Amino acid sequence: MRIAIVSDVHANLAALEAVLHHAEERRALDQVWSLGDMVGYGPQPREVLARLRELDVRGVVGNHDLAAIGQLPLDDFNPDAATAARWTARQLQPSDQRFVQSLPQVRREGDFTLVHGTLRWPVWEYLYSYESARAHLQRQESPFGLVGHTHVPMLVVEDSRFPRGCELYYLQDGTTVELDRGQRLVINPGGVGQPRDGDPRASYAIYDTDAATVTLHRVEYDIAATQRLMREAGLPLWLIERLSVGR
């Protein structure tokens, strides 16, 4: 079985479709796992939710998803993110809201635990430091973990021989991580709809259950088309411009 792992689609349908096409070419749509933030920032929240539901996605909820259905206050969001969240909330229909509300904050799929942020603070904490990585791993009961939220592809490997108890690695396009149940690790597949590592291409991963590997992929998509829709919707300029630079 080959499974497409997506995160932080952020209502960017063009990026999602490019990723799904790429995965389909590699026969990697047996299942789709989502690590949250399906909506927020982008111009097509309803369309993205419909596409993921069509694929019977197995996912968790993110902070922007919860904000869009009124389950998180906007005080902790920056002004542009809050503006986009309010706009997104006006687009969603009751069926969309029910779908988002049905998603758990933490999900177990075989040897993997799925969460948007960390297992310490599932929808809010960014896993990008040794301290947050250790706190997450202390709570991870499965051999492997999957997180999103940072929009940066990353691998965390736990090993007592490391000075800090674990090590963090940036994942480049085409990098394959071999899975060994005796070696606990966490993988972040990066952001589909809003990368933040300086590479504007959509980022996702493929889990091959037979080969016991997870491979990171970057995919070109029509950024200008998404930006045009964002302008038409009146979304904040910075959210539009950042797509071109992957920040």
Side-chain angles (χ1 to χ4, degrees):
M1 180 182 291
R2 290 185 175 183
I3 299 166
I5 304 169
V6 301
S7 188
D8 299 281
V9 178
H10 281 297
N12 189 337
L13 184 65
L16 177 61
E17 290 292 5
V19 160
L20 294 176
H21 178 71
H22 187 271
E24 185 175 30
E25 287 185 331
R26 286 150 185 79
R27 299 179 181 178
L29 287 180
D30 295 320
Q31 289 181 8
V32 176
W33 295 354
S34 170
L35 305 177
D37 277 3
M38 301 168 290
V39 301
Y41 295 134
Q44 293 179 286
R46 292 202 65 205
E47 293 86 345
V48 163
L49 291 176
R51 189 71 173 99
L52 291 172
R53 291 172 69 183
E54 180 183 296
L55 294 165
D56 194 25
V57 67
R58 302 184 182 191
V60 294
V61 72
N63 57 311
H64 285 265
D65 303 322
L66 291 173
I69 62 169
Q71 296 296 307
L72 269 187
L74 298 180
D75 300 351
D76 292 329
F77 287 76
N78 68 60
D80 285 345
T83 296
R86 293 186 189 97
W87 179 88
T88 301
R90 294 194 295 271
Q91 313 309 310
L92 300 185
Q93 297 296 311
S95 60
D96 302 315
Q97 296 169 350
R98 287 192 296 271
F99 170 62
V100 173
Q101 204 162 25
S102 72
L103 296 175
Q105 292 188 10
V106 178
R107 185 184 196 107
R108 180 74 179 260
E109 291 288 341
D111 285 337
F112 282 88
T113 299
L114 285 58
V115 66
H116 180 62
T118 72
L119 291 174
R120 178 165 59 177
W121 294 311
V123 299
W124 270 122
E125 185 174 31
Y126 292 95
L127 200 166
Y128 55 25
S129 70
Y130 290 104
E131 193 276 333
S132 60
R134 288 194 302 268
H136 175 95
L137 284 163
Q138 286 170 3
R139 294 160 173 81
Q140 181 176 295
E141 297 179 357
S142 60
F144 316 122
L146 292 170
V147 302
H149 199 34
T150 68
H151 302 209
V152 175
M154 182 181 288
L155 168 67
V156 179
V157 178
E158 181 184 52
D159 196 316
S160 59
R161 291 171 294 182
F162 293 132
R164 298 179 181 90
C166 63
E167 195 53 74
L168 284 61
Y169 304 93
Y170 174 75
L171 291 177
Q172 297 183 342
D173 184 19
T175 301
T176 294
V177 178
E178 296 184 359
L179 303 175
D180 178 348
R181 296 185 88 256
Q183 175 74 75
R184 297 208 311 157
L185 52 80
V186 186
I187 296 171
N188 187 325
V192 170
Q194 195 194 85
R196 293 181 184 169
D197 60 346
D199 185 341
R201 295 178 297 170
S203 183
Y204 86 109
I206 293 175
Y207 169 34
D208 187 324
T209 62
D210 294 330
T213 59
V214 174
T215 302
L216 194 283
H217 296 281
R218 301 307 286 253
V219 183
E220 301 274 0
Y221 76 95
D222 192 344
I223 294 173
T226 296
Q227 291 174 318
R228 183 172 60 253
L229 290 173
M230 293 176 75
R231 290 190 188 95
E232 292 171 358
L235 289 164
L237 181 61
W238 166 234
L239 300 182
I240 298 169
E241 292 178 341
R242 73 188 307 177
L243 293 182
S244 297
V245 295
R247 289 294 184 189

